[in-house]
Amino acid sequence: MRILVTGGTGYLGSAAASQAAAAGHDVMGVSRSAAVRLDVAELAECRRVVAQVAPDVVIHTAYGQDDWRTTAEGAAHVAIAAGESGAHLVHVSSDAVFSGQAPAYDESAIPDPVNRYGAAKAAAEVAVRAVLPAATIVRTSLILGPDSFMERLVHNLAGGADGVLFADDIRCPVHRDDLAAAVLELAAERPAGMFHCGGPDAISRADIGRLIARRDGLAFDRIRIGSRASFGPGQQLDLRLDSRHTQGLLRTRLRGAREFL
């Protein structure tokens, strides 16, 4: 299978590209900083690169945290280019499309974002489904693993850096390698629709930090614990991604944070 991975130098994209290559697939990872450059915010670039690579599957992981053009418009551009080339699209989305007001969110839940990033990811989903109804959309949660943002943050805070871990910010973390394997499994099967790939443990950022500190021998008592709710209304506090349906379809097991940490 020939696979094109956008965001191929990113945290998830690089893992997906590496696993795909190890499995014997013909893989090309592209990004703004890769050897083969692609800025997904530019439709013409998307069309040119996808047409040149002629992939069987495009795995779209590229996004910009505060960049609407990359996150929202970029997804539409990748979907258009994939459709024109006849490639199947696996689009990686986020639990950030939800407000955190519901007890949990399964694949049928309607997005209700409360911040710009969540709105951009929700718009990206709408664009992908409109352009390519047969696309596979994968929503995920906080991605952990070696050198992840969260692990680096905990090490820095334990070392005296300024910052806080929230005790009321609940997510369903997933290990990067598990998520990459699940994405590749879905890419091979090419199911249409929405699939949730979060871990089974709903856990706060503070408790994640405690687990990392215990594993790595860090001074957790040096880390300041706070409340995201103290920042006022509109905060995403409890994002429980219900992934049981998708996990039942996968051979890949998505481990919980309490297991892999």
Side-chain angles (χ1 to χ4, degrees):
M1 185 165 57
R2 178 170 291 179
I3 302 174
L4 177 67
V5 182
T6 70
T9 56
Y11 193 65
L12 175 61
S14 61
S18 178
Q19 287 189 22
H25 297 295
D26 181 6
V27 185
M28 177 172 290
V30 295
S31 71
R32 288 173 177 167
S33 59
V36 177
R37 184 184 185 279
L38 173 60
D39 182 352
V40 298
E42 301 296 333
L43 176 58
E45 279 194 30
C46 289
R47 283 174 156 154
R48 175 181 56 79
V49 171
V50 174
Q52 287 178 352
V53 176
D56 300 302
V57 175
V58 176
I59 298 175
H60 179 50
T61 73
Y63 73 97
Q65 190 74 38
D66 298 308
D67 186 342
W68 180 275
R69 290 194 63 215
T70 296
T71 302
E73 295 179 27
H77 297 163
V78 171
I80 290 169
E84 291 174 348
S85 72
H88 182 72
L89 176 62
V90 178
H91 169 72
V92 178
S93 189
S94 168
D95 58 4
V97 302
F98 299 120
S99 67
Q101 297 302 306
Y105 296 93
D106 65 12
E107 287 85 350
S108 66
I110 303 300
D112 59 342
V114 295
N115 57 39
R116 286 176 56 84
Y117 175 62
K121 294 298 278 188
E125 291 183 3
V126 172
V128 167
R129 296 175 102 170
V131 174
L132 287 178
T136 302
I137 301 178
V138 178
R139 290 191 186 123
T140 191
S141 186
L142 187 64
I143 304 174
L144 303 181
D147 201 38
S148 64
F149 169 80
M150 190 66 187
E151 294 211 1
R152 286 186 279 110
L153 174 62
V154 172
H155 277 254
N156 289 338
L157 294 178
D162 187 37
V164 62
L165 295 180
F166 297 120
D168 56 355
D169 184 341
I170 310 296
R171 307 290 291 279
C172 292
V174 63
H175 194 285
R176 176 188 64 175
D177 295 342
D178 296 349
L179 178 59
V183 166
L184 290 172
E185 186 177 337
L186 290 168
E189 297 295 331
R190 305 186 186 186
M194 188 69 64
F195 301 89
H196 282 187
C197 288
D201 294 340
I203 185 171
S204 73
R205 288 184 184 264
D207 284 338
I208 293 169
R210 186 176 287 106
L211 290 173
I212 292 171
R214 183 175 65 187
R215 184 197 64 189
D216 296 346
L218 305 176
F220 183 74
D221 58 358
R222 299 188 64 185
I223 298 176
R224 184 161 57 94
I225 305 302
S227 168
R228 185 180 286 279
S230 66
F231 286 81
Q235 302 298 317
Q236 293 170 303
L237 300 179
D238 195 337
L239 289 174
R240 296 176 189 248
L241 206 64
D242 184 343
S243 303
R244 290 175 294 177
H245 171 72
T246 297
Q247 180 64 92
L249 303 174
L250 293 171
R251 295 182 301 277
T252 301
R253 189 169 71 88
L254 302 171
R255 294 169 291 166
R258 291 185 177 90
E259 177 180 348
F260 64 74
L261 289 177

